Amino acid sequence: MRPTGRTHLGHVHGILENWRDLQKQYDCFYFAADWHALTSEYKESAEISTYMLEMFIDWLSVGLDPDRSVLFVQSRVKEHAELFLLLSMITPLGWLERNPTYKELKTELVEKDVNTFGFFGYPVLQAADILMYKGDYVPVGQDQLPHLEITREIARRFNYLYREVFPAPEALLTEVPILLGIDGRKMSKSYGNAIYISDAEDVVASKIAQMITDPQRAYRKDPGNPDVCSVYSFHRIYTEPDVVTEIAAECRRAGIGCTDCKKMLVERVVRHLAPIQEKRNYFLGHLKEVEAIIDQGTEKAREVAQGTMVEVRDAMHV
Ligand code: SF4
């Protein structure tokens, strides 16, 4: 995960809760991709380390467990840079030019000036990040599949040119709910529409009060359509299933107003965040403990990376 901003509910439900559950089944490596953050944030690089520490605190608060998973910082395992360089020697330009996410991101990050070699080549860095740990699976969303395909192609090309070193990792696609921001667009810090896990109760309440509901429901007496309402999409995540069914029915017959419906949601989001925020406060008061966790994870990652690089250098005769 790129440390480029604060953690919001979209991260928690879209990514972190999935990562937390995967720990029960797999040996997982999760890292702060601070070099990847530089590809678009190179002008504001001083902020990356602040976001990074906070990001680890949020991971721990949501339930990532350093005894089960390796939690580390990409830039502190310099082997990633070496593998990136070596893999870039064998990656045809056409693979990067065809990358649909590259074209999309370039349009999205139009204010960032990402006409750089680093940005163009980031799928190779990503391949290095994944292949370094010889991962069997990578938890990705549907939109990340083209990236993973480039990684798989690079792994196959390396194995073909030299010798079998890398498994071609497979996608671990998990159905995760997509949370919209308070304006109905994708939740993102750049749209200013996010609810953050650090938000206090009054902030959560004021953000939920601004949320877009069914635009056709102008008056309290009008029946609504929960299927087009952002508040309802949140209820489906935070609210008990029988209450969700009741809300949908009541909304459709104008039995509940949007203000009350939003109040019910505030209660549940605040309840969901309470234990996470309690842990956050603990870790914010124990930063040395967090730093020790990051150091230990980085050490474990480095050991694995060093082993892989011995094989890679040997295979490539460098
Ligand atoms: S009652 Fe609830 S679900 Fe229905 S439109 Fe209002 S906020 Fe949305």
Side-chain angles (χ1 to χ4, degrees):
M1 187 179 282
R2 286 157 34 102
T4 54
R6 290 151 66 204
T7 307
H8 55 61
L9 298 185
H11 296 125
V12 175
H13 298 286
I15 302 169
L16 295 176
E17 290 187 341
N18 183 35
W19 286 8
R20 181 196 62 201
D21 296 343
L22 290 174
Q23 298 179 121
K24 296 175 195 150
Q25 240 179 305
Y26 302 99
D27 294 326
C28 302
F29 287 74
Y30 297 124
F31 68 96
D34 54 343
W35 278 340
H36 280 286
L38 279 177
T39 57
S40 60
E41 311 299 312
Y42 56 90
K43 287 183 188 159
E44 287 89 34
S45 57
E47 289 179 5
I48 294 175
S49 56
T50 315
Y51 284 137
M52 191 156 65
L53 185 63
E54 213 183 305
M55 191 173 84
F56 277 108
I57 290 174
D58 294 338
W59 289 5
L60 296 167
S61 307
V62 170
L64 294 198
D65 179 354
D67 291 330
R68 283 178 152 169
S69 300
V70 180
L71 311 179
F72 69 100
V73 178
Q74 177 189 34
S75 67
R76 294 200 207 156
V77 184
K78 305 294 182 200
E79 285 76 5
H80 284 239
E82 185 184 356
L83 188 55
F84 165 57
L85 177 126
L86 294 176
L87 295 181
S88 65
M89 301 300 169
I90 66 165
T91 306
L93 278 181
W95 292 1
L96 301 176
E97 283 161 352
R98 279 202 308 271
N99 169 19
T101 328
Y102 169 71
K103 292 179 197 155
E104 239 167 66
L105 278 175
K106 226 175 136 190
T107 329
E108 250 177 54
L109 298 170
V110 73
E111 80 289 4
K112 292 280 185 195
D113 185 11
V114 287
N115 261 318
T116 59
F117 169 66
F119 186 70
F120 182 63
Y122 80 91
V124 185
L125 180 56
Q126 220 167 32
D129 300 331
I130 296 168
L131 297 177
M132 186 71 88
Y133 303 95
K134 300 189 181 179
D136 295 312
Y137 300 103
V138 188
V140 285
Q142 199 79 30
D143 57 331
Q144 287 283 318
L145 283 178
H147 273 161
L148 188 59
E149 199 41 48
I150 295 181
T151 297
R152 289 163 54 81
E153 282 177 340
I154 293 175
R156 284 194 287 259
R157 188 162 163 84
F158 184 99
N159 293 343
Y160 168 77
L161 288 172
Y162 308 109
R163 67 178 154 82
E164 196 77 25
V165 171
F166 298 119
E170 285 178 32
L172 201 60
L173 282 170
T174 316
E175 261 326 300
V176 286
I178 295 188
L179 262 195
L180 297 174
I182 58 174
D183 58 359
R185 292 186 290 172
K186 182 183 164 191
M187 193 178 280
S188 157
K189 91 166 172 172
S190 34
Y191 294 151
N193 65 2
I195 299 176
Y196 294 100
I197 69 171
S198 52
D199 282 346
E201 180 169 349
D202 57 332
V203 179
V204 173
S206 113
K207 286 182 177 174
I208 289 179
Q210 298 167 48
M211 274 175 84
I212 307 278
T213 61
D214 171 6
Q216 301 296 323
R217 193 179 185 197
Y219 300 103
R220 166 71 179 79
K221 63 178 174 34
D222 297 338
N225 177 5
D227 296 332
V228 297
C229 173
S230 302
V231 177
Y232 184 69
S233 68
F234 271 61
H235 271 301
R236 290 168 62 144
I237 292 170
Y238 290 99
T239 304
E240 313 80 270
D242 52 329
V243 181
V244 176
T245 313
E246 202 183 313
I247 289 172
E250 290 300 308
C251 173
R252 286 198 171 91
R253 62 170 201 90
I256 183 174
C258 295
T259 309
D260 288 335
C261 188
K262 285 176 172 179
K263 277 189 193 147
M264 289 171 74
L265 179 62
V266 172
E267 263 172 44
R268 279 145 178 108
V269 172
V270 167
R271 204 186 301 151
H272 185 90
L273 285 179
I276 298 176
Q277 292 184 341
E278 198 181 316
K279 282 195 190 164
R280 269 191 110 244
N281 289 337
Y282 170 82
F283 286 117
L284 283 169
H286 294 79
L287 291 181
K288 288 219 170 335
E289 202 177 307
V290 179
E291 275 156 17
I293 288 171
I294 300 171
D295 287 348
Q296 281 161 15
T298 302
E299 198 47 53
K300 281 190 216 162
R302 191 179 297 120
E303 263 174 47
V304 179
Q306 284 173 343
T308 303
M309 288 316 296
V310 168
E311 283 184 74
V312 169
R313 290 183 208 115
D314 185 57
M316 287 184 86
H317 305 285
V318 289

